[in-house]
Amino acid sequence: CGDANDITFLNTTWTEKMYSPDKPLKIVIDDGAHVSAQMVQTVFFWFPRIEPRGFLIVEDIQPIPEANTFRTQFLPQIMFDLHYCGQPKGVEEEGPCFPTLQPLLASIHCEMHICIFERNDMPSYPNFDLNQSKSPPNALDRNKCPAFHNH
């Protein structure tokens, strides 16, 4: 039905077909291509738009070449962010790997070929900035996140 890497397509789907101020998203299921870049883009676009305590489900993260960087590069960074509490006193602040997602995370549960991302109690951002909705350069390369790389 569309390309999950195309932020314009995602935004058009959201604004013209899905967004309703009185019915926020509770659950989003990514059942798209088994390609890391598209799965990551799904997380960055949809997660901020889900209501508090809602869920984003990403499936088909099995160990195949197309999905490997989601498991080996993205997941370790977002798990790091889930437990990020800042730097110890006297250490230069580097921030979380994904500063747009980290404040919204309540939990992440992964088993076999599926991950469930749970929103915390922060309000959803239905009009989240499109530039912040794009996957950052470090999303599929954990060596580009200084905070992760230095621990």
Side-chain angles (χ1 to χ4, degrees):
C1 82
D3 182 354
N5 268 343
D6 182 350
I7 199 89
T8 303
F9 168 77
L10 293 174
N11 194 54
T12 299
T13 300
W14 168 244
T15 57
E16 294 180 10
K17 300 182 188 230
M18 297 179 71
Y19 176 66
S20 173
D22 57 332
K23 295 181 184 174
L25 294 173
K26 181 71 175 175
I27 299 174
V28 173
I29 300 172
D30 170 71
D31 188 17
H34 308 162
V35 177
S36 294
Q38 291 186 17
M39 292 187 285
V40 167
Q41 184 56 68
T42 293
V43 175
F44 277 91
F45 186 83
W46 293 110
F47 196 68
R49 291 165 174 83
I50 297 172
E51 71 177 38
R53 295 295 165 188
F55 301 94
L56 171 64
I57 301 168
V58 180
E59 51 95 62
D60 294 328
I61 60 167
Q62 62 263 36
I64 59 173
E66 298 83 4
N68 276 343
T69 54
F70 184 87
R71 292 180 315 96
T72 63
Q73 302 297 313
F74 176 72
L75 282 178
Q77 291 182 85
I78 199 161
M79 290 292 213
F80 173 85
D81 282 1
L82 177 64
H83 302 287
Y84 182 80
C85 297
Q87 299 291 2
K89 193 172 187 174
V91 175
E92 183 179 339
E93 181 65 39
E94 296 168 331
C97 296
F98 305 126
T100 59
L101 299 179
Q102 187 269 340
L104 306 174
L105 289 167
S107 67
I108 303 169
H109 308 274
C110 298
E111 292 195 27
M112 296 292 289
H113 307 303
I114 190 168
C115 283
I116 300 170
F117 301 84
E118 181 185 12
R119 283 288 313 272
N120 61 18
D121 293 322
M122 296 284 293
S124 63
Y125 301 110
N127 300 314
F128 201 59
D129 181 83
L130 279 186
N131 287 324
Q132 292 183 322
S133 297
K134 294 178 184 176
S135 301
N138 64 302
L140 294 172
D141 184 355
R142 65 184 185 191
N143 290 321
K144 292 183 180 176
C145 174
F148 180 85
H149 189 64
N150 291 333
H151 284 86

